[in-house]
Amino acid sequence: RRNLSSSSASSSSPLAFLASTTSLVLPVSQLANIVHGLQKDVAISAVAMEGGTEIARSTVNVKIVEVPQIQSVRATPMQGDAYTSDFEVAASVVISDEDALPVLTSFSYYPQYGNQSKSKVLCPFSFAAECIFSLPPGNHTILAKVKDSLDGVSQAQIGPIQVREVQYPAFAPQSTECMQTSQAIFALRKM
């Protein structure tokens, strides 16, 4: 039995007490077992007694589901050329409970010494655990996130991925119109 407190003092009926229960007091040892995953299923019951006789009972069953964990993140290659190299990243995910399915994976990047909260999405949350992309010049950290059906999220990162700036290529003799088109295409790739 746990110590329950009521937010409603307007009724002295035991049934009204059960309907108005708003908080639950658990011993610290019980909370620690739940938080640290030692207890996966918890039943919380409230009992109304009158004259030593149980007249009403309410039970809530709670199942603790761990978030999926990223076991490893792999990126290849770890260096390449800006906008022209294809980089691939893959995450290996461990799921401890089928109630967490389906699991979605997302990948983003941010500068190696930048702020993770300003990461730019490479591949949004999807069922795919891998992503192929190109990157702008600089040293970047890749951030992998997994989210389960209960909105539990975990993340892992890999880096730095070194991306060299590509120098503007020397074009073969071309007409002025062709040269301008080539320069425009190259400039667009840099965006």
Side-chain angles (χ1 to χ4, degrees):
R1 291 189 190 198
R2 304 294 181 243
N3 187 12
L4 298 173
S5 63
S6 172
S7 65
S8 172
S10 63
S11 174
S12 61
S13 164
L15 294 176
F17 172 79
L18 282 177
S20 64
T21 300
T22 58
S23 64
L24 172 67
V25 178
L26 293 173
V28 173
S29 60
Q30 183 72 21
L31 284 174
N33 285 341
I34 294 169
V35 170
H36 294 298
L38 299 176
Q39 192 170 348
K40 299 293 183 196
D41 294 305
V42 179
I44 301 169
S45 296
V47 178
M49 305 287 285
E50 191 172 278
T53 304
E54 179 180 321
I55 60 169
R57 174 182 293 269
S58 179
T59 301
V60 175
N61 292 312
V62 179
K63 182 175 183 181
I64 309 299
V65 178
E66 292 183 34
V67 297
Q69 296 296 314
I70 298 176
Q71 187 173 19
S72 64
V73 179
R74 174 186 50 82
T76 55
M78 291 300 284
Q79 61 183 7
D81 295 325
Y83 307 109
T84 57
S85 294
D86 284 338
F87 296 94
E88 180 178 358
V89 66
S92 173
V93 180
V94 176
I95 303 159
S96 63
D97 196 320
E98 289 186 10
D99 287 337
L101 295 173
V103 173
L104 304 175
T105 308
S106 130
F107 298 96
S108 57
Y109 77 96
Y110 59 94
Q112 179 182 4
Y113 298 110
N115 188 339
Q116 178 178 328
S117 67
K118 295 184 180 184
S119 64
K120 296 181 180 167
V121 175
L122 295 166
C123 296
F125 280 108
S126 73
F127 294 111
E130 56 193 38
C131 178
I132 298 174
F133 52 90
S134 63
L135 289 168
N139 292 335
H140 303 289
T141 300
I142 304 298
L143 181 63
K145 290 183 180 180
V146 292
K147 176 171 74 170
D148 65 19
S149 62
L150 304 171
D151 285 335
V153 176
S154 65
Q155 63 186 29
Q157 58 191 24
I158 188 169
I161 294 185
Q162 301 170 344
V163 184
R164 296 178 293 272
E165 186 166 354
V166 178
Q167 298 301 317
Y168 188 74
F171 290 102
Q174 300 172 355
S175 69
T176 303
E177 184 178 304
C178 185
M179 179 64 123
Q180 288 173 343
T181 302
S182 295
Q183 290 173 341
I185 290 170
F186 188 79
L188 285 171
R189 281 187 167 173
K190 292 184 93 172
M191 293 180 144

